[in-house]
Amino acid sequence: MSSWWLSDTQKVGVAFCSGGGFFFTGGVIMFFDRAMLAMGNILFLLGLPLIIGPQKTVLFFARRNKLKGTAAFVAGILLIVLRWPLVGFCIELYGIAVLFGDFLVTIGGYVGNVPVVGPWVRWALERVSGGRRNSELPV
């Protein structure tokens, strides 16, 4: 697979975000292990500005319609660090849904091309997102 359209900084950001996703998933599998969830959050928060840039990251999280999601995401991270991983995870999951819910239709469009399960996944993602499509995506 060619990645000629990504700069070296963006490739590092993708690696950090991927590692964050793996640690976050591992933390859930390990019955909400606080250290793994915290490491996943740190790697994700390090990777996102490297992918889309620091200014776009700040603008994305500080958008008026995303403030509730940003507050929930930060509160979830703080609760995980303060030894409340299950409650923090649930609050953080709500924040992620509010922040990145607009991407579900876009993700569904890409996943819809996967044979056999693609159309079902696309239908589920469009149903969950309510069919909304935001033209103000950060990328």
Side-chain angles (χ1 to χ4, degrees):
M1 172 187 261
S2 176
S3 62
W4 57 272
W5 52 275
L6 287 176
S7 70
D8 289 340
T9 305
Q10 288 174 323
K11 289 176 187 175
V12 171
V14 168
F16 278 164
C17 283
S18 298
F22 287 128
F23 271 99
F24 201 71
T25 303
V28 172
I29 291 172
M30 300 291 277
F31 301 111
F32 300 99
D33 182 46
R34 183 175 66 96
M36 290 188 78
L37 290 173
M39 183 59 75
N41 288 326
I42 290 168
L43 288 174
F44 176 75
L45 290 176
L46 284 175
L48 191 61
L50 292 175
I51 294 173
I52 65 174
Q55 289 177 331
K56 286 185 179 180
T57 303
V58 170
L59 289 174
F60 176 72
F61 283 107
R63 220 180 270 161
R64 182 175 295 273
N65 61 341
K66 304 278 187 186
L67 285 178
K68 192 185 330 182
T70 301
F73 185 70
V74 171
I77 292 173
L78 289 175
L79 284 171
I80 287 171
V81 171
L82 295 174
R83 299 178 186 238
W84 288 76
L86 182 61
V87 175
F89 174 78
C90 292
I91 292 174
E92 187 175 353
L93 197 61
Y94 170 75
I96 289 171
V98 171
L99 285 170
F100 300 104
D102 297 334
F103 294 113
L104 293 178
V105 175
T106 305
I107 293 169
Y110 288 116
V111 174
N113 295 327
V114 174
V116 181
V117 297
W120 295 98
V121 173
R122 180 181 3 178
W123 176 80
L125 289 175
E126 287 175 355
R127 183 132 174 144
V128 167
S129 69
R132 63 183 173 195
R133 188 172 199 102
N134 191 356
S135 60
E136 299 177 22
L137 297 177
V139 180

